[in-house]
Amino acid sequence: MSGNAAPANLVLIGLMGAGKSTTGLRLAKRLGRPFIDTDAQVEVDTGKTIAEIFAQDGEDGFRRAEAETVSRICQQRGQVIAVGGGTVLNKANTAVLRKNGTIFWLDVEPDILVGRMGSRVSRAHRPLLADATSADELHRRVNDLRDARDEAYRSAAHHIIRVDGGQSGEAVITEILRIIGHRPPKHP
Ligand code: S3P
């Protein structure tokens, strides 16, 4: 192995509300690596919000833009990357993410996801859930998405981090750092 190759990207996958962006940003800071959120990058690349892309070009248009952004981002190593909840449904995306990266599935209990997405604000960039009109409807959609995507997440992931509500965000980061063999700098 070459001694000076940048380390593999750390890629966070999972459903909307799983905490990919929050966890990714904190993880990146801890490791001193750049953090990329593919949803935010799609918005920069297209000059449109995700809601605008869905409204103007449909989900297919969003998936095309997402695939272009993901493919470009994955040319680089050494990053922490949070992808959208549907990114790994496209096998080409999964292949490029795995080529230069280690993939962690944040597998979060649906009840926790629904709790995090209760407000309209938190659903604003999530057109697939934005128009759910009741808590029951939101529950049903999240459960349907989970059933439909479980296999794609499982087969894309190198590691599964289960989040059942008992552990803190910090515990998730500690678990990822343990898996990659990161040793925190010693305090003087
Ligand atoms: C989507 C998840 C969203 C965003 C888009 C579609 C999905 O990202 O990419 O609204 O299909 O699950 P987050 O998972 O970051 O909310």
Side-chain angles (χ1 to χ4, degrees), residues 16 20 39 50 62-63 84-86 125-128 149:
M16 295 174 265
K20 294 164 294 191
D39 285 340
I50 290 179
F62 171 72
R63 297 301 173 201
H125 79 289
R126 293 164 172 152
L128 297 178
R149 294 177 172 183

Side-chain angles (χ1 to χ4, degrees), residues 26 161 166-178:
R26 287 173 64 186
I161 312 287
Q167 69 274 66
S168 64
E170 184 57 31
V172 172
I173 290 170
T174 304
E175 174 69 357
I176 295 173
L177 292 173
R178 187 192 62 73

Side-chain angles (χ1 to χ4, degrees), residues 13-28:
I13 66 170
L15 283 173
M16 295 174 265
K20 294 164 294 191
S21 302
T22 311
T23 306
L25 183 59
R26 287 173 64 186
L27 189 60

Side-chain angles (χ1 to χ4, degrees), residues 43-58:
E43 292 188 334
V44 171
D45 291 350
T46 60
K48 297 179 192 172
T49 66
I50 290 179
E52 284 168 349
I53 302 171
F54 268 77
Q56 292 168 16
D57 309 318

Side-chain angles (χ1 to χ4, degrees), residues 90-113:
N90 176 342
K91 286 198 163 49
N93 289 342
T94 305
V96 290
L97 286 164
R98 286 180 69 102
K99 184 160 171 271
N100 275 329
T102 305
I103 300 188
F104 297 84
W105 173 19
L106 303 189
D107 180 18
V108 180
E109 278 297 310
D111 282 354
I112 300 175
L113 298 175

Side-chain angles (χ1 to χ4, degrees), residues 101-188:
T102 305
I103 300 188
F104 297 84
W105 173 19
L106 303 189
D107 180 18
V108 180
E109 278 297 310
D111 282 354
I112 300 175
L113 298 175
V114 172
R116 289 179 185 169
M117 288 184 298
S119 82
R120 284 206 165 265
V121 175
S122 70
R123 283 186 267 144
H125 79 289
R126 293 164 172 152
L128 297 178
L129 298 175
D131 60 345
T133 49
S134 66
D136 281 354
E137 167 83 356
L138 190 56
H139 256 279
R140 195 180 53 72
R141 289 211 203 167
V142 168
N143 278 315
D144 286 353
L145 281 176
R146 186 185 157 95
D147 289 348
R149 294 177 172 183
D150 197 79
E151 190 44 44
Y153 291 149
R154 194 177 304 284
S155 59
H158 294 96
H159 303 281
I160 302 175
I161 312 287
R162 291 224 157 74
V163 182
D164 60 12
Q167 69 274 66
S168 64
E170 184 57 31
V172 172
I173 290 170
T174 304
E175 174 69 357
I176 295 173
L177 292 173
R178 187 192 62 73
I179 290 170
I180 65 170
H182 177 75
R183 288 173 197 281
K186 289 212 170 67
H187 291 296

